[in-house]
Amino acid sequence: MPNMRNVHAPGCVRDTFLAAIEAFASWSPGEPEPAVEFEVDHEPRQIPLSKACGLVWKCTDIVPGGEFDLLQSKLEGLHRGEVDLRRRTYAACARAMVGAIREAEMA
């Protein structure tokens, strides 16, 4: 999997992460971690959301507004309060998602 660092992520990587945000938004804690499709050597594979987050862990591209709002709304619902993502980058969003997934697994 690519290791993005301060660069523009390829479209397939961004698309996979945006799909992960949508899957995360409809996921309920207590259910298994959802998976999304990611192509490796032109072969589609299912990867868990946490792996999709790893694809953009250091990516400084900006997440589109609609997906950012969807993620922030889900995080607020899980934490029962306002969540302030300080940055709108893929990396910041990925880290927030992984944190929420890990918290749910421990509950």
mmCIF file of all heavy atoms in Angstrom, residues 22-34 49 74 78 100-101 104-105:
data_model
loop_
_atom_site.group_PDB
_atom_site.id
_atom_site.type_symbol
_atom_site.label_atom_id
_atom_site.label_comp_id
_atom_site.label_asym_id
_atom_site.label_seq_id
_atom_site.Cartn_x
_atom_site.Cartn_y
_atom_site.Cartn_z
ATOM 1 N N GLU A 22 -17.916 6.898 4.242
ATOM 2 C CA GLU A 22 -19.333 6.556 4.086
ATOM 3 C C GLU A 22 -19.677 5.279 4.855
ATOM 4 O O GLU A 22 -20.715 5.207 5.511
ATOM 5 C CB GLU A 22 -19.685 6.421 2.611
ATOM 6 C CG GLU A 22 -19.661 7.755 1.891
ATOM 7 C CD GLU A 22 -20.065 7.651 0.432
ATOM 8 O OE1 GLU A 22 -20.762 6.689 0.057
ATOM 9 O OE2 GLU A 22 -19.678 8.553 -0.327
ATOM 10 N N ALA A 23 -18.813 4.281 4.780
ATOM 11 C CA ALA A 23 -19.055 3.034 5.516
ATOM 12 C C ALA A 23 -19.012 3.277 7.022
ATOM 13 O O ALA A 23 -19.826 2.736 7.772
ATOM 14 C CB ALA A 23 -18.030 1.973 5.113
ATOM 15 N N PHE A 24 -18.090 4.107 7.464
ATOM 16 C CA PHE A 24 -17.964 4.438 8.878
ATOM 17 C C PHE A 24 -19.222 5.157 9.370
ATOM 18 O O PHE A 24 -19.708 4.897 10.470
ATOM 19 C CB PHE A 24 -16.723 5.308 9.090
ATOM 20 C CG PHE A 24 -16.513 5.760 10.495
ATOM 21 C CD1 PHE A 24 -16.076 4.875 11.473
ATOM 22 C CD2 PHE A 24 -16.730 7.084 10.849
ATOM 23 C CE1 PHE A 24 -15.865 5.292 12.782
ATOM 24 C CE2 PHE A 24 -16.520 7.512 12.154
ATOM 25 C CZ PHE A 24 -16.093 6.619 13.116
ATOM 26 N N ALA A 25 -19.749 6.042 8.550
ATOM 27 C CA ALA A 25 -20.932 6.818 8.934
ATOM 28 C C ALA A 25 -22.150 5.930 9.158
ATOM 29 O O ALA A 25 -22.998 6.246 9.989
ATOM 30 C CB ALA A 25 -21.235 7.876 7.876
ATOM 31 N N SER A 26 -22.236 4.811 8.450
ATOM 32 C CA SER A 26 -23.393 3.929 8.616
ATOM 33 C C SER A 26 -23.106 2.744 9.546
ATOM 34 O O SER A 26 -23.975 1.919 9.780
ATOM 35 C CB SER A 26 -23.881 3.428 7.256
ATOM 36 O OG SER A 26 -22.874 2.710 6.601
ATOM 37 N N TRP A 27 -21.910 2.683 10.093
ATOM 38 C CA TRP A 27 -21.484 1.601 10.979
ATOM 39 C C TRP A 27 -21.954 1.876 12.405
ATOM 40 O O TRP A 27 -21.967 3.008 12.871
ATOM 41 C CB TRP A 27 -19.963 1.501 10.936
ATOM 42 C CG TRP A 27 -19.336 0.584 11.931
ATOM 43 C CD1 TRP A 27 -19.412 -0.773 11.957
ATOM 44 C CD2 TRP A 27 -18.500 0.962 13.031
ATOM 45 N NE1 TRP A 27 -18.656 -1.264 13.003
ATOM 46 C CE2 TRP A 27 -18.098 -0.217 13.682
ATOM 47 C CE3 TRP A 27 -18.049 2.175 13.523
ATOM 48 C CZ2 TRP A 27 -17.272 -0.218 14.789
ATOM 49 C CZ3 TRP A 27 -17.228 2.182 14.630
ATOM 50 C CH2 TRP A 27 -16.842 0.991 15.254
ATOM 51 N N SER A 28 -22.344 0.838 13.093
ATOM 52 C CA SER A 28 -22.719 0.951 14.506
ATOM 53 C C SER A 28 -21.696 0.213 15.354
ATOM 54 O O SER A 28 -21.362 -0.939 15.059
ATOM 55 C CB SER A 28 -24.093 0.321 14.748
ATOM 56 O OG SER A 28 -25.084 1.015 14.044
ATOM 57 N N PRO A 29 -21.183 0.866 16.406
ATOM 58 C CA PRO A 29 -20.258 0.171 17.295
ATOM 59 C C PRO A 29 -20.887 -1.121 17.802
ATOM 60 O O PRO A 29 -22.082 -1.191 18.037
ATOM 61 C CB PRO A 29 -20.042 1.172 18.429
ATOM 62 C CG PRO A 29 -20.276 2.505 17.786
ATOM 63 C CD PRO A 29 -21.393 2.253 16.803
ATOM 64 N N GLY A 30 -20.080 -2.134 17.931
ATOM 65 C CA GLY A 30 -20.569 -3.453 18.309
ATOM 66 C C GLY A 30 -20.674 -4.371 17.103
ATOM 67 O O GLY A 30 -20.629 -5.584 17.228
ATOM 68 N N GLU A 31 -20.825 -3.780 15.923
ATOM 69 C CA GLU A 31 -20.814 -4.555 14.682
ATOM 70 C C GLU A 31 -19.356 -4.742 14.255
ATOM 71 O O GLU A 31 -18.480 -3.970 14.655
ATOM 72 C CB GLU A 31 -21.562 -3.808 13.572
ATOM 73 C CG GLU A 31 -23.037 -3.642 13.804
ATOM 74 C CD GLU A 31 -23.712 -2.865 12.683
ATOM 75 O OE1 GLU A 31 -23.025 -2.353 11.777
ATOM 76 O OE2 GLU A 31 -24.946 -2.762 12.740
ATOM 77 N N PRO A 32 -19.099 -5.742 13.411
ATOM 78 C CA PRO A 32 -17.729 -5.901 12.898
ATOM 79 C C PRO A 32 -17.304 -4.661 12.105
ATOM 80 O O PRO A 32 -18.140 -3.974 11.526
ATOM 81 C CB PRO A 32 -17.825 -7.121 11.972
ATOM 82 C CG PRO A 32 -19.063 -7.828 12.385
ATOM 83 C CD PRO A 32 -19.995 -6.801 12.950
ATOM 84 N N GLU A 33 -16.025 -4.402 12.115
ATOM 85 C CA GLU A 33 -15.498 -3.271 11.348
ATOM 86 C C GLU A 33 -15.801 -3.480 9.868
ATOM 87 O O GLU A 33 -15.481 -4.533 9.306
ATOM 88 C CB GLU A 33 -13.985 -3.169 11.566
ATOM 89 C CG GLU A 33 -13.349 -2.002 10.884
ATOM 90 C CD GLU A 33 -11.851 -1.915 11.140
ATOM 91 O OE1 GLU A 33 -11.352 -2.493 12.132
ATOM 92 O OE2 GLU A 33 -11.168 -1.275 10.343
ATOM 93 N N PRO A 34 -16.425 -2.497 9.226
ATOM 94 C CA PRO A 34 -16.744 -2.650 7.803
ATOM 95 C C PRO A 34 -15.489 -2.711 6.934
ATOM 96 O O PRO A 34 -14.394 -2.335 7.376
ATOM 97 C CB PRO A 34 -17.541 -1.389 7.478
ATOM 98 C CG PRO A 34 -17.946 -0.812 8.768
ATOM 99 C CD PRO A 34 -16.925 -1.253 9.776
ATOM 100 N N LEU A 49 -11.772 -0.784 7.349
ATOM 101 C CA LEU A 49 -11.671 0.674 7.408
ATOM 102 C C LEU A 49 -10.338 1.137 7.967
ATOM 103 O O LEU A 49 -9.748 2.100 7.471
ATOM 104 C CB LEU A 49 -12.803 1.254 8.262
ATOM 105 C CG LEU A 49 -14.221 1.058 7.766
ATOM 106 C CD1 LEU A 49 -15.183 1.848 8.637
ATOM 107 C CD2 LEU A 49 -14.374 1.446 6.316
ATOM 108 N N LYS A 74 -20.681 11.962 12.421
ATOM 109 C CA LYS A 74 -20.619 10.617 13.007
ATOM 110 C C LYS A 74 -19.777 10.620 14.278
ATOM 111 O O LYS A 74 -20.160 10.026 15.292
ATOM 112 C CB LYS A 74 -20.050 9.620 11.992
ATOM 113 C CG LYS A 74 -19.853 8.215 12.513
ATOM 114 C CD LYS A 74 -21.171 7.546 12.852
ATOM 115 C CE LYS A 74 -20.941 6.082 13.209
ATOM 116 N NZ LYS A 74 -22.193 5.353 13.313
ATOM 117 N N LEU A 78 -20.884 9.604 18.126
ATOM 118 C CA LEU A 78 -20.215 8.580 18.932
ATOM 119 C C LEU A 78 -19.731 9.145 20.262
ATOM 120 O O LEU A 78 -19.769 8.465 21.280
ATOM 121 C CB LEU A 78 -19.020 7.994 18.174
ATOM 122 C CG LEU A 78 -19.345 7.122 16.967
ATOM 123 C CD1 LEU A 78 -18.067 6.756 16.233
ATOM 124 C CD2 LEU A 78 -20.113 5.890 17.373
ATOM 125 N N ALA A 100 -11.734 6.381 16.837
ATOM 126 C CA ALA A 100 -13.122 6.026 17.161
ATOM 127 C C ALA A 100 -13.360 4.527 17.024
ATOM 128 O O ALA A 100 -14.065 3.922 17.843
ATOM 129 C CB ALA A 100 -14.077 6.797 16.266
ATOM 130 N N ILE A 101 -12.762 3.905 16.023
ATOM 131 C CA ILE A 101 -12.912 2.458 15.841
ATOM 132 C C ILE A 101 -12.284 1.733 17.024
ATOM 133 O O ILE A 101 -12.873 0.796 17.576
ATOM 134 C CB ILE A 101 -12.280 2.016 14.497
ATOM 135 C CG1 ILE A 101 -13.121 2.534 13.324
ATOM 136 C CG2 ILE A 101 -12.157 0.486 14.436
ATOM 137 C CD1 ILE A 101 -12.434 2.418 11.970
ATOM 138 N N ALA A 104 -14.418 2.030 20.138
ATOM 139 C CA ALA A 104 -15.588 1.171 20.047
ATOM 140 C C ALA A 104 -15.229 -0.290 20.309
ATOM 141 O O ALA A 104 -16.002 -1.025 20.931
ATOM 142 C CB ALA A 104 -16.248 1.312 18.678
ATOM 143 N N GLU A 105 -14.060 -0.723 19.845
ATOM 144 C CA GLU A 105 -13.625 -2.096 20.065
ATOM 145 C C GLU A 105 -13.371 -2.369 21.549
ATOM 146 O O GLU A 105 -13.567 -3.472 22.019
ATOM 147 C CB GLU A 105 -12.338 -2.383 19.272
ATOM 148 C CG GLU A 105 -12.557 -2.505 17.786
ATOM 149 C CD GLU A 105 -11.258 -2.668 17.025
ATOM 150 O OE1 GLU A 105 -10.168 -2.386 17.579
ATOM 151 O OE2 GLU A 105 -11.326 -3.075 15.855
#
